[in-house]
Amino acid sequence: MQKRMEDIEIKYIYLQKTVDDLNVVVIEQQKEIRELKATLMLLGKKLQDLSSMEPYDPDEKPPHY
């Protein structure tokens, strides 16, 4: 019975370590997701600003001509 209890405790310790390691990974991924969302929002805004501009006409002369 004592050996069995020790085996269970050892398995529990390994499982707890695995859970802690996975928690660290999940936290890092959440930070990265937030950063990627912010970047995506910024790029979306820039794309929206660009699409609202008048199209470029290469034949148009600059205003100082």
Side-chain angles (χ1 to χ4, degrees), residues 30-42:
Q30 186 61 39
K31 288 178 186 176
E32 188 173 355
I33 288 170
R34 280 192 202 114
E35 290 171 5
L36 289 170
K37 281 183 176 181
T39 302
L40 183 61
M41 294 294 287
L42 180 64

Side-chain angles (χ1 to χ4, degrees), residues 14-47:
Y14 280 115
L15 283 173
Q16 187 63 44
K17 170 89 169 88
T18 301
V19 168
D20 291 342
D21 292 345
L22 288 172
N23 189 44
V24 168
V25 170
V26 168
I27 290 170
E28 289 173 0
Q29 286 179 341
Q30 186 61 39
K31 288 178 186 176
E32 188 173 355
I33 288 170
R34 280 192 202 114
E35 290 171 5
L36 289 170
K37 281 183 176 181
T39 302
L40 183 61
M41 294 294 287
L42 180 64
L43 289 173
K45 173 104 174 77
K46 286 184 177 186
L47 184 61

Side-chain angles (χ1 to χ4, degrees), residues 42-56:
L42 180 64
L43 289 173
K45 173 104 174 77
K46 286 184 177 186
L47 184 61
Q48 205 171 33
D49 291 346
L50 285 174
S51 66
S52 66
M53 293 175 65
E54 292 183 30
Y56 173 70

